[in-house]
Amino acid sequence: LYDVTADDEESIAANVDGTRHVIELAEDIEAGCLHHVSSVAVAGDYAGTFTEDMFDAGQRLITPYHRTKFESERLVRTQTDVPWRVYRPAIVVGNSVTGEMDKIDGPYYFFKALQRLSALPSLPFVFPDIGDTNIVPVDYVASAMAHLVTAPGLDGHAFHLVNPVPQSAREVYNA
């Protein structure tokens, strides 16, 4: 469940209990590898660079979404019956070629607000630097995962599916 506004109960049912059931299924069918889609949200409010080798670094997990994505990844990492790989995408948006999106939650609320501002003169928006964000198109994430799931020797690793050059909020607005 990707919804930073969802409550604890809904997030636990989808992310934690759902992952627990997937692990049980993977064990029952003797899956060769469990490919778990986590999120960069497991980094929480960690200050500094959060690498693919990191998991529990004492970061605060500020929403039920962050906490349950962390807990579901922990379940995958601590079980020992099925080899695993973890994929942590950044904020996933529409197709890089067509721009098509099939969601209206999360960052898309921000895009709707920007669309309403499009009636204003086309001037760069000036506001304080509120930090970087990381947005990746869905086809980038799908292509990376398709490559990683078939690559040999990667079990037991996590992969950040992110833009290697994060965008500032100002750059996102101006784009």
Side-chain angles (χ1 to χ4, degrees), residues 99-175:
E100 183 177 349
M101 303 179 197
D102 67 352
K103 301 172 64 164
I104 54 164
D105 65 346
Y108 302 98
Y109 291 126
F110 177 66
F111 294 151
K112 278 298 197 188
L114 292 179
Q115 184 181 30
R116 286 192 287 278
L117 292 174
S118 68
L120 298 175
S122 182
L123 299 171
F125 189 61
V126 179
F127 58 89
D129 183 6
I130 58 173
D132 290 342
T133 188
N134 201 291
I135 299 174
V136 290
V138 67
D139 48 312
Y140 169 83
V141 172
S143 177
M145 286 183 65
H147 171 76
L148 291 167
V149 299
T150 59
L154 299 179
D155 294 352
H157 292 281
F159 304 94
H160 287 171
L161 307 180
V162 300
N163 183 338
V165 182
Q167 311 90 340
S168 71
R170 182 181 300 128
E171 288 172 316
V172 172
Y173 171 80
N174 286 331

Side-chain angles (χ1 to χ4, degrees), residues 9 31 46 86 126 151:
E9 184 178 323
Y46 184 84
V86 168
V126 179

Side-chain angles (χ1 to χ4, degrees), residues 69-104:
K69 291 305 280 187
F70 178 89
E71 179 60 20
S72 64
E73 185 174 323
R74 186 190 66 74
L75 289 172
V76 170
R77 289 169 161 275
T78 58
Q79 61 80 33
T80 57
D81 294 324
V82 181
W84 55 266
R85 297 179 190 190
V86 168
Y87 309 96
R88 296 178 183 156
I91 299 170
V92 181
V93 295
N95 184 284
S96 67
V97 177
T98 67
E100 183 177 349
M101 303 179 197
D102 67 352
K103 301 172 64 164
I104 54 164

